[in-house]
Amino acid sequence: MRILVTNDDGIYSPGIAALAKIASNFGEVTVVAPDVEQSSMGHAVTHSRPLSYKKSPIEFPGINAYRVNGTPADCVALGTHLYHHIDVVLSGINMGTNLGNSMWHSGTLAAAKQAVLLGIKGIALSTPVGKSEPDFDLLAPYVQQVLAQLLKRTGPSLYNVNFPNHPKGIAWTKQSVRLYDGTIIPGTDPLGRKHYWFTVTPLEPAEKGTDRWAVENSYISVTPLRLDLTDEVKLQELEKTYPWEVLASS
């Protein structure tokens, strides 16, 4: 199996080093990651300037690793161009969860989505971060167990995986879509200039069976996703209630 490992935290993140090491148990690993942090970049792609890549400034023992002056999606596009016949793209392990509505702006998940757009399986992996870094040694056997299950499944499927700090089980989940409150917090820098932080807070508790609920209850959340955003129920309703008429030609 040929595995491309990337992230949105950048080539220096301990999460990508942990993931690359675990992934090497399943096949040939190549690391292609952003040269700087690209968190919350979403599915941005670079089109106004050329991309370049260089050898990683930090060592990944036994693994070819490169840094790219672009986004997570750029890294997948470039990595799969340079290294043909990639079987799966693993993105992470992200420093911070990607649950519920955060999927919309997650660079970690965007890298996995880019893989699926190219016809390759994509798996995004994340874990909470607090005042200290996650214990990746503790999480390693759980990551290994989840990958062992997902990698044997065929087809260009997309999965979003979130690990609690101390897992007690694994749950298949759906995305939590409860409402969030977007808040702008003003402040000033040391020179007295104004700046602003954007943050969000869930307005409602997580519903059982969702990714947020699983991680809050110490379960590893594994959410199968798809790229088609069509609201099929609403589409059927509109087709029946408001059918389009044939437009007259001019």
Side-chain angles (χ1 to χ4, degrees), residues 209-227:
T210 64
D211 50 7
R212 274 182 55 209
W213 179 91
V215 172
E216 288 173 1
N217 288 274
S218 298
Y219 288 96
I220 300 167
S221 166
V222 183
T223 308
L225 301 172
R226 66 179 184 178
L227 299 181

Side-chain angles (χ1 to χ4, degrees), residues 117-170:
L117 287 172
L118 298 172
I120 304 168
K121 180 183 295 182
I123 304 173
L125 306 100
S126 307
T127 193
V129 63
K131 295 182 179 179
S132 59
E133 291 184 352
D135 188 342
F136 291 110
D137 289 335
L138 182 151
L139 290 178
Y142 300 104
V143 177
Q144 172 106 5
Q145 184 177 353
V146 169
L147 290 181
Q149 289 295 322
L150 298 183
L151 291 179
K152 68 182 181 182
R153 299 176 182 272
T154 59
S157 46
L158 175 63
Y159 297 97
N160 186 40
V161 185
N162 284 271
F163 297 86
N165 290 321
H166 299 281
K168 65 180 183 182
I170 304 174

Side-chain angles (χ1 to χ4, degrees), residues 5-6 14-24 90-93 125 143 147:
V5 173
T6 190
I16 197 170
L19 181 56
K21 181 179 179 180
I22 297 166
S24 65
L90 304 180
S91 182
I93 301 170
L125 306 100
V143 177
L147 290 181

Side-chain angles (χ1 to χ4, degrees), residues 39 45 54 56 77 102 127 142 156 166 197 227-228 232 242 247-248:
S39 294
V45 294
K54 298 178 181 179
S56 170
S102 66
T127 193
Y142 300 104
H166 299 281
W197 289 97
L227 299 181
D228 183 357
E232 295 175 351
Y242 305 103
L247 298 177

Side-chain angles (χ1 to χ4, degrees):
M1 180 175 290
R2 302 192 70 180
I3 303 170
L4 180 67
V5 173
T6 190
N7 70 353
D8 74 354
D9 288 328
I11 193 71
Y12 299 97
S13 172
I16 197 170
L19 181 56
K21 181 179 179 180
I22 297 166
S24 65
N25 294 319
F26 297 94
E28 177 186 345
V29 174
T30 302
V31 172
V32 180
D35 57 358
V36 295
E37 184 175 348
Q38 298 280 338
S39 294
S40 296
M41 185 58 66
H43 209 126
V45 294
T46 302
H47 69 89
S48 58
R49 59 174 174 79
L51 296 172
S52 62
Y53 72 101
K54 298 178 181 179
K55 189 172 179 59
S56 170
I58 60 172
E59 184 180 0
F60 290 75
I63 297 173
N64 290 325
Y66 304 92
R67 56 189 170 111
V68 175
N69 63 334
T71 67
D74 290 335
C75 292
V76 174
L78 184 58
T80 54
H81 171 78
L82 296 172
Y83 292 90
H84 301 293
H85 310 300
I86 294 294
D87 297 300
V88 62
V89 172
L90 304 180
S91 182
I93 301 170
N94 191 63
M95 304 276 281
T97 56
N98 282 298
L99 300 166
N101 292 339
S102 66
M103 290 188 197
W104 289 96
H105 54 76
S106 167
T108 304
L109 184 57
K113 289 191 293 181
Q114 182 64 34
V116 180
L117 287 172
L118 298 172
I120 304 168
K121 180 183 295 182
I123 304 173
L125 306 100
S126 307
T127 193
V129 63
K131 295 182 179 179
S132 59
E133 291 184 352
D135 188 342
F136 291 110
D137 289 335
L138 182 151
L139 290 178
Y142 300 104
V143 177
Q144 172 106 5
Q145 184 177 353
V146 169
L147 290 181
Q149 289 295 322
L150 298 183
L151 291 179
K152 68 182 181 182
R153 299 176 182 272
T154 59
S157 46
L158 175 63
Y159 297 97
N160 186 40
V161 185
N162 284 271
F163 297 86
N165 290 321
H166 299 281
K168 65 180 183 182
I170 304 174
W172 293 107
T173 60
K174 63 181 181 179
Q175 179 186 9
S176 175
V177 290
R178 290 291 173 89
L179 295 178
Y180 283 67
D181 179 28
T183 302
I184 299 294
I185 302 176
T188 56
D189 68 13
L191 297 179
R193 296 171 298 193
K194 289 184 177 180
H195 61 218
Y196 303 88
W197 289 97
F198 176 71
T199 185
V200 294
T201 303
L203 294 176
E204 303 169 294
E207 58 272 50
K208 188 173 183 179
T210 64
D211 50 7
R212 274 182 55 209
W213 179 91
V215 172
E216 288 173 1
N217 288 274
S218 298
Y219 288 96
I220 300 167
S221 166
V222 183
T223 308
L225 301 172
R226 66 179 184 178
L227 299 181
D228 183 357
L229 300 178
T230 305
D231 185 336
E232 295 175 351
V233 173
K234 177 62 70 175
L235 176 61
Q236 293 177 6
E237 174 189 327
L238 292 171
E239 287 176 334
K240 292 178 180 179
T241 309
Y242 305 103
W244 289 109
E245 297 180 358
V246 176
L247 298 177
S249 58
S250 57

